Amino acid sequence: MTSLNQVRAVVTGGGGGLGRAIARALARRGGRVLVADVNLEGAEATAKLVEAGGGRAHARRADVSVYDDVARLAEEAERLWGGTDLLVNNAGVGIGGPLDAIPIDDWKWAVGVNFWGPVYGCQVFVPGFKRQGGGHILNVASAAGLLAAPEMAPYNATKAAVVALSETLHAELAPHKVGVTVLCPTFFQTDIVKSGRLHSSDGAAIANKLMSRAKLQADDVARLALEGVEADRLYVVPHPDGRWMWRLKRLAPEPFYHRLLPRIGGIRGRVAR
């Protein structure tokens, strides 16, 4: 997409954090935003901010792990604005801890939101993009999906799946003039720890400290993500630490990168202190 001005957008997980930041950034471009979140009050608060920021907005409750909820978002956008130009699959949940400490129900929860949510979004909105001859999907993954750090197995696996989904669709949808961008940030301030399920004693303290130290926060990540959409880039890795670690993994996976990963547990402990 060469421009997001006056775009018709659907943003899942828009009730706070990055979803809210993206919705507000679209408002500054005069966008029309359907804000979806499992927390309707949060979505409504974001919608008011979009209206105050120069855009137009509607809020809807949606659980992205439920196909019918996502399908209703496409129907609602069609009813309100005659279609959608930008789908932001942003809703996500955090899970951490050693593999054998994480209950299977938590795996199912992560897969439902982090994996099936984007799959349902793409499945539901792509036909409309094809009919209108264009559109763009912004899938919010994570640097975790590229780097696979220890004690984050459900999160890493689901976010890696979103990266693979995005790579596949980038090639598949190009002939239809439908763009795909996958966003892979590292740490910035959100509520993902508060709403997540962590199964290690120091996980929350470590994550909160890393988030508070980040130089790029939600508004910065939102801006860089939308610039990536406008430039039709497949990958947006906004944080320098994520970019350097991703380069290291690609350049020296066996000699160095995968030997480094077991030591990250010790680094995590020092960060917490």
Side-chain angles (χ1 to χ4, degrees):
M1 299 184 74
T2 56
S3 174
L4 290 172
N5 291 340
Q6 299 182 335
V7 70
R8 301 169 298 177
V10 174
V11 180
T12 69
L18 180 60
R20 176 170 291 175
I22 290 173
R24 294 182 68 186
L26 292 171
R28 291 190 285 272
R29 292 167 163 83
R32 291 165 284 180
V33 186
L34 181 58
V35 183
D37 201 286
V38 70
N39 174 7
L40 181 58
E41 289 184 4
E44 289 172 338
T46 298
K48 289 178 181 177
L49 291 171
V50 170
E51 295 275 352
R56 294 167 57 192
H58 293 267
R60 296 291 183 270
R61 185 193 180 280
D63 179 348
V64 299
S65 69
V66 178
Y67 177 87
D68 288 347
D69 279 18
V70 181
R72 279 192 288 270
L73 294 178
E75 294 167 0
E76 185 71 356
E78 184 73 31
R79 184 186 69 80
L80 289 168
W81 303 310
T84 303
D85 304 306
L86 173 66
L87 168 65
V88 182
N89 284 317
N90 169 70
V93 294
I95 292 182
L99 176 68
D100 53 353
I102 299 173
I104 288 298
D105 283 347
D106 285 1
W107 271 91
K108 293 178 179 178
W109 180 59
V111 171
V113 178
N114 293 353
F115 174 66
W116 281 115
V119 170
Y120 292 156
C122 294
Q123 187 79 20
V124 164
F125 282 88
V126 161
F129 288 156
K130 287 183 176 180
R131 285 194 301 270
Q132 69 191 19
H136 205 102
I137 299 166
L138 172 59
N139 285 329
V140 178
S142 168
L146 303 173
L147 304 177
E151 298 194 11
M152 297 172 60
Y155 192 73
N156 292 345
T158 53
K159 292 301 185 178
V162 173
V163 173
L165 173 68
S166 304
E167 292 170 337
T168 302
L169 293 182
H170 183 261
E172 182 177 323
L173 298 178
H176 303 279
K177 298 183 180 179
V178 178
V180 180
T181 297
V182 60
L183 176 63
C184 299
T186 55
F187 289 93
F188 61 98
Q189 206 75 54
T190 71
D191 290 331
I192 196 167
V193 172
K194 188 189 300 182
S195 62
R197 301 179 184 180
L198 303 181
H199 300 278
S200 60
S201 59
D202 59 356
I206 292 166
N208 284 323
K209 185 160 286 191
L210 289 170
M211 289 192 296
S212 66
R213 289 178 179 178
K215 292 183 178 179
L216 295 180
Q217 291 293 341
D219 287 343
D220 306 300
V221 175
R223 172 179 55 80
L224 292 168
L226 296 183
E227 288 176 0
V229 169
E230 290 178 320
D232 198 25
R233 296 209 309 270
L234 172 56
Y235 304 103
V236 175
V237 185
H239 292 90
D241 57 343
R243 290 196 299 273
W244 279 109
M245 290 293 285
W246 191 32
R247 288 190 190 108
L248 178 62
K249 180 181 179 181
R250 286 177 290 166
L251 291 171
E254 286 297 328
F256 190 76
Y257 181 77
H258 288 293
R259 295 179 187 176
L260 173 67
L261 283 182
R263 303 177 189 175
I264 290 179
I267 295 171
R268 289 170 71 253
R270 290 195 294 276
V271 169
R273 293 192 290 273

